[in-house]
Amino acid sequence: LRPQQRAIVTLSRALPARYPTKRSQLVWCTLGLVSRAMQARLVEGRQQAAGSANTRPPDGSVSPFLFLLPLRAQLYSVALREAPGSHSVLSNRAACYAQLGRWEASLADAARVVQMKPDYVKGHYRTAVAQQALGKATEAIAALEAGLQLEPGNEEMKEMLRELKSGRSAGA
């Protein structure tokens, strides 16, 4: 088995049995390895099993898998034990920590991603997001500029850089 496959097997065994969906499906969903349509079907099955109505907001702005974020971060940690050199797993855990508001942990993971694979643009972006949330605008700008050197057409990074620079000049 490849490292990611070993991680999936380990994660399925590590999940508590109390989750109503099949363990392997839950792992694949939490790691983002199934389509949005499949995730929606699994959520609907979970809601029907619980006897609840649809809990999605009308505008669909909140992920129905929000309740999985803490578990998802734990699963990425388990996956990292199986594949410690996986920059993508580490980057995804950084994103989970950011969604949970655990900015220091997100920054630590994102910085490690950049150290492991300096040409991985998402590492620079996630570093910048965490630094911005921690009030480190100068460091966030440096991370965005490094990322834009690798991928000059990245509109999301360009927009964030513009916002940071305009906020810094306005506050100066």
Side-chain angles (χ1 to χ4, degrees), residues 109-132:
D109 279 357
R112 224 172 106 208
V113 168
V114 170
Q115 185 180 26
M116 290 168 64
K117 191 161 173 67
D119 60 338
Y120 190 61
V121 176
K122 280 186 182 180
H124 294 282
Y125 177 74
R126 293 195 169 133
T127 299
V129 168
Q131 287 172 329
Q132 179 187 25

Side-chain angles (χ1 to χ4, degrees), residues 6-172:
R6 281 196 320 264
I8 295 295
V9 170
T10 302
L11 294 174
S12 334
R13 292 179 185 149
L15 280 173
R18 70 176 182 263
Y19 291 100
T21 57
K22 293 179 184 173
R23 290 180 187 192
S24 59
Q25 288 176 329
L26 186 58
V27 169
W28 287 89
C29 285
T30 54
L31 295 180
L33 300 174
V34 296
S35 68
R36 292 281 181 202
M38 175 61 91
Q39 289 181 14
R41 283 196 300 269
L42 290 170
V43 168
E44 287 170 16
R46 179 180 184 273
Q47 290 170 344
Q48 288 173 359
S52 65
N54 189 349
T55 57
R56 277 189 203 172
D59 65 354
S61 62
V62 177
S63 167
F65 275 83
L66 200 55
F67 72 97
L68 288 175
L69 280 175
L71 174 63
R72 191 174 182 177
Q74 291 173 359
L75 292 176
Y76 282 126
S77 297
V78 171
L80 283 168
R81 286 196 290 272
E82 290 292 321
S86 176
H87 67 279
S88 60
V89 172
L90 190 60
S91 176
N92 288 337
R93 188 174 72 174
C96 274
Y97 286 151
Q99 289 174 317
L100 290 166
R102 296 181 54 195
W103 298 110
E104 292 85 6
S106 178
L107 179 57
D109 279 357
R112 224 172 106 208
V113 168
V114 170
Q115 185 180 26
M116 290 168 64
K117 191 161 173 67
D119 60 338
Y120 190 61
V121 176
K122 280 186 182 180
H124 294 282
Y125 177 74
R126 293 195 169 133
T127 299
V129 168
Q131 287 172 329
Q132 179 187 25
L134 292 169
K136 300 178 180 180
T138 305
E139 292 89 342
I141 289 171
L144 289 168
E145 288 172 343
L148 284 168
Q149 285 181 350
L150 298 168
E151 192 178 305
N154 188 313
E155 292 301 321
E156 197 170 4
M157 291 179 82
K158 284 181 184 179
E159 179 60 30
M160 187 176 175
L161 183 61
R162 276 192 294 274
E163 288 173 10
L164 280 168
K165 285 187 172 181
S166 67
R168 192 175 68 172
S169 62

